[in-house]
Amino acid sequence: MIDRRAFLEKSALLSALGFVPRALTLEEYERDVVGASVSPAAGFRGRPCVVASANGIQGVKLAYDRIVGGTDALDAIIAGVNLVELDPDDQSVGLGGLPNENGVVQLDASCMHGPTRRAGAVGCLEEIATPSLVAKAVMDYTTHVLLVGPGAKKFALAMGFKTQNLLTERSRQDWLRWKSRLNKNDNWLDHDDDVKINWTHGTINMNAVNASGDVSSVTTTSGLAWKLDGRLGDSPIHGAGQYTDNAIGAAGSTGLGEMNIKACGGFLTVEFMRNGATPEQAALKTLERMVHMTEARMLDDKGRPRYDIQVYAVAKDGRYGSATMYDGASFAVCDERGPRLEKCAYLHKAAERPR
Ligand code: GLY
């Protein structure tokens, strides 16, 4: 690979001499700019690995077993996240997700398929429990990459997806408690048996590579609880909630999506890996960039973020890593050693978290 400076100097010299630049061939682009081939060389033997947010601990095992059995990596990880989308007890994803401010569950998801360089996504999708599958259908059956709102639902129905009420009784009760406590002077009474809701955002991101070095990623979420009607987070945005470049690896995130969108976290993590960082180093550097891109109201007086985000990454050769803003979070991984939770690297100790 030639370095960027040499490349620019060479281009400037050639242009000064009157040479008209020509477009690089795909092979030249991959060799000189991307730094690796998108299509693994014949005989490449990698190390299958699936990495996800901690709520994917069952999903990473399912996905890994399928990948080893020959299933396409994207199909395998979508099956992995479907477990969580269909779990009514996970209030951050799919069925049972916490609703928006009007009590309506609106789901976001996106996916990327490395070997074919394709992508799909849906946003603000209502009444369909598995937005990851609808995102894949957008990728498989349309020339588009992102469908949102009523159009996304109309598409899902045309593809044969069935509607259902996604607002579980538990999430409805939590929403009512939040609503009743918004304003002391409104007509909703505050009840003594109210429980505190400890978190308001979740999500599942899952990334995988197979033995041939083919990479894929998917992220699915009900987004920020009590969000404004129509709010999209990072999960349906390629390059933010997840990103795959089959030449390098994949990355995605969970946490407060607004902060990730501004840093293009999925894309940036893969770019850091392209430039030589390990997956864990890349995840940490992406978190630093997010802090750098954070507006003052979301930072304390020492410049520490008033929010949390986790980044997960897998490299084409099967290395993996994850990082979080504040110590304490874990991530799920499955490889030849089996499924397990590991501690995320972190930027700050838990005790430094702003109160
Ligand atoms: N990361 C999920 C969201 O902010 O919607």
Side-chain angles (χ1 to χ4, degrees):
M1 184 167 72
I2 60 175
D3 75 33
R4 189 170 163 273
R5 188 162 166 204
F7 180 77
L8 293 175
E9 283 172 0
K10 191 173 159 197
S11 308
L13 178 66
L14 290 174
S15 120
L17 292 173
F19 288 100
V20 179
R22 68 172 173 83
L24 297 176
T25 65
L26 181 60
E27 289 71 30
E28 288 169 334
Y29 182 81
E30 289 182 353
R31 186 193 62 222
D32 297 339
V33 183
V34 176
S37 174
V38 170
S39 312
F44 176 94
R45 289 304 297 171
R47 175 178 169 272
C49 180
V50 185
V51 62
S53 41
N55 54 351
I57 185 63
Q58 261 116 33
V60 292
K61 162 97 173 90
L62 183 145
Y64 181 81
D65 288 347
R66 290 202 182 179
I67 288 170
V68 170
T71 301
D72 175 81
L74 181 58
D75 288 330
I77 57 177
I78 287 182
V81 301
N82 286 164
L83 293 181
V84 183
E85 289 176 323
L86 296 172
D87 176 0
D89 293 328
D90 188 314
Q91 291 181 284
S92 71
V93 180
L95 174 66
L98 291 172
N100 67 13
E101 64 175 351
N102 300 327
V104 178
V105 181
Q106 290 184 325
L107 304 178
D108 302 334
S110 65
C111 63
M112 289 182 74
H113 187 245
T116 58
R117 312 167 205 227
R118 292 178 305 142
V122 287
C124 289
L125 179 67
E126 297 178 10
E127 296 189 293
I128 312 278
T130 53
S132 63
L133 282 170
V134 185
K136 182 164 187 295
V138 171
M139 180 185 97
D140 284 339
Y141 295 105
T142 80
T143 57
H144 304 319
V145 160
L146 171 60
L147 296 177
V148 299
K153 183 172 164 186
K154 200 187 282 183
F155 167 76
L157 294 178
M159 297 307 298
F161 287 85
K162 300 280 178 264
T163 58
Q164 70 185 99
N165 178 16
L166 301 179
L167 188 64
T168 56
E169 184 56 17
R170 179 176 166 207
S171 290
R172 191 181 70 82
Q173 292 287 346
D174 286 344
W175 168 66
L176 280 177
R177 287 189 189 99
W178 167 79
K179 196 173 159 66
S180 70
R181 293 192 166 242
L182 274 180
N183 182 347
K184 275 203 164 319
N185 302 319
D186 67 16
N187 293 316
W188 291 90
L189 296 173
D190 295 350
H191 286 273
D192 292 334
D193 62 353
D194 278 358
V195 292
K196 187 172 181 309
I197 297 165
N198 290 319
W199 53 271
T200 51
H201 52 79
T203 305
I204 178 166
N205 161 249
M206 195 175 289
N207 315 286
V209 61
N210 67 14
S212 304
D214 281 331
V215 188
S216 286
S217 54
V218 62
T219 299
T220 174
T221 190
S222 52
L224 189 65
W226 336 133
K227 60 194 174 184
L228 300 187
D229 185 16
R231 177 260 189 192
L232 289 179
D234 56 333
S235 303
I237 311 292
H238 303 97
Q242 55 75 41
Y243 189 73
T244 291
D245 181 333
N246 214 47
I248 305 297
S253 66
T254 57
L256 187 59
E258 279 76 2
M259 302 303 138
N260 185 26
I261 290 172
K262 289 186 294 174
C264 304
F267 176 79
L268 188 61
T269 306
V270 171
E271 291 308 295
F272 283 137
M273 290 196 288
R274 190 193 310 281
N275 290 326
T278 65
E280 182 179 292
Q281 288 166 347
L284 282 166
K285 284 158 80 78
T286 295
L287 292 178
E288 286 168 354
R289 182 69 63 84
M290 285 181 199
V291 175
H292 167 72
M293 294 298 292
T294 296
E295 61 260 49
R297 73 183 170 87
M298 295 298 285
L299 298 173
D300 74 359
D301 55 4
K302 295 197 169 59
R304 291 179 300 221
R306 297 185 186 281
Y307 60 89
D308 217 340
I309 287 194
Q310 296 74 43
V311 176
Y312 317 90
V314 70
K316 187 177 181 67
D317 59 10
R319 288 172 301 141
Y320 63 90
S322 172
T324 183
M325 289 288 183
Y326 291 98
D327 184 20
S330 302
F331 66 102
V333 60
C334 190
D335 53 17
E336 70 281 1
R337 289 163 50 212
R340 59 200 181 271
L341 290 176
E342 292 190 10
K343 298 286 283 179
C344 301
Y346 57 89
L347 281 191
H348 298 288
K349 296 200 172 89
E352 294 171 356
R353 190 189 291 269
R355 301 276 160 221

